[in-house]
Amino acid sequence: MEHRWNWEQGSLASELIQGLESAKQLKSPLSISGSPRSEDLGKDNRDTRDVSKKRKMLPRWTDQVRITSESLLEGTHDDGYSWRKYGQKDILGAKYPRSYYRCTYRHTQDCWATKQVQRSDEDPTIFESENHSFSPSGVLDNNNILSSFSSPFMSPAATSELNYLSASQSQTNTLE
DNA sequence: GAAATTTGACCTCA
DNA sequence: TGAGGTCAAATTTC
C-alpha cells in the first residue's frame, strides 16, 4: 500500500491542486481540511445506541469533480485504493443512481474504506464522491485521508461511471 | 478460471 | 414503513 502511495504522490499532488481548483470553481462545500461534514458529525454524535449495529459511523467527506474531455484524456488516476463496486441504488429525487464501492483488499489487507459515487442532477459532468475511510484501529490514517481527499474520481469507480456517462451521452446524441 | 460487475433481496434506521 | 446501504448469487469480462 505504501509503495503505491510513493509511486503516485507526484501525480496526486497535482491532482490535489486540480481538485481544489475545481472545487473553488464549483463553489462546492468541500472543506480544505478534508474534514467530515459537520451535519454528518452531528448525526453520528447523536447515534450513541447499540454500537454493533451502528451504520454511517465512519468518518466521511465528500468531494466533487467535473469530468471533462481533458480529464478523460489524462487517463485514470488512482487514489491509493483499489475500488470494487458492490452495489448501485436509485436514490429518491436523484436523476442518476448512486454507486457503492469498497476497497478490493477488504479482507486481505483489512482495508475497510468505502465510497459512494453520485452524479449530479444539475450537471451530469459532476460526480460527487463520498468517502468513508479509516484504519482498522479506528484512527484515521493520514494517507487514507489524503489519498481519498485528493483524487477519488478517476479510479475504476469513476471510470465505470464515465463509461455510463459516455453511453448515456451517446444515446442522447442518437436521439437528437 | 479468476476477478469484477450487475442486480434483486435483505437489513437497518429514521 | 420507506429510503438508503449491504449482501451475495448470477453474469460478464479479461
Side-chain angles (χ1 to χ4, degrees):
Chain A
M1 199 59 90
E2 207 170 325
H3 65 282
R4 240 180 132 171
W5 166 251
N6 291 333
W7 178 68
E8 290 177 342
Q9 55 186 330
S11 61
L12 280 177
S14 59
E15 284 299 318
L16 176 57
I17 294 169
Q18 264 187 0
L20 289 172
E21 288 299 322
S22 300
K24 283 179 190 172
Q25 289 173 9
L26 293 169
K27 297 179 181 179
S28 79
L30 171 67
S31 164
I32 298 299
S33 65
S35 302
R37 295 184 299 188
S38 55
E39 61 178 276
D40 293 323
L41 276 175
K43 198 181 291 182
D44 288 343
N45 288 340
R46 276 203 308 276
D47 191 0
T48 53
R49 287 169 297 174
D50 187 1
V51 173
S52 64
K53 292 185 179 178
K54 266 198 293 187
R55 209 186 259 180
K56 302 176 183 176
M57 280 187 62
L58 306 184
R60 62 181 190 182
W61 53 95
T62 61
D63 203 352
Q64 292 182 326
V65 158
R66 183 187 298 276
I67 304 301
T68 64
S69 57
E70 197 174 281
S71 59
L72 278 172
L73 288 173
E74 284 176 5
T76 60
H77 306 106
D78 202 322
D79 55 9
Y81 292 105
S82 181
W83 298 106
R84 178 170 180 167
K85 189 173 185 176
Y86 66 87
Q88 178 172 303
K89 282 285 276 195
D90 287 325
I91 301 303
L92 194 72
K95 205 170 176 180
Y96 304 100
R98 177 178 296 169
S99 298
Y100 300 88
Y101 300 88
R102 71 161 66 106
C103 182
T104 304
Y105 309 108
R106 177 174 238 205
H107 298 294
T108 57
Q109 295 181 17
D110 237 10
C111 175
W112 295 91
T114 64
K115 74 175 175 184
Q116 305 166 2
V117 178
Q118 171 86 55
R119 281 174 69 185
S120 167
D121 285 351
E122 295 171 2
D123 187 345
T125 63
I126 296 175
F127 288 78
E128 182 169 331
S129 175
E130 182 166 309
N131 300 274
H132 301 186
S133 305
F134 74 122
S135 63
S137 62
V139 178
L140 271 173
D141 179 86
N142 286 338
N143 284 354
N144 283 356
I145 293 173
L146 184 55
S147 61
S148 295
F149 170 64
S150 57
S151 62
F153 299 101
M154 292 303 294
S155 56
T159 305
S160 168
E161 290 293 337
L162 283 170
N163 290 337
Y164 174 73
L165 172 61
S166 300
S168 301
Q169 287 182 334
S170 305
Q171 285 183 340
T172 303
N173 291 339
T174 306
L175 289 172
E176 285 174 352

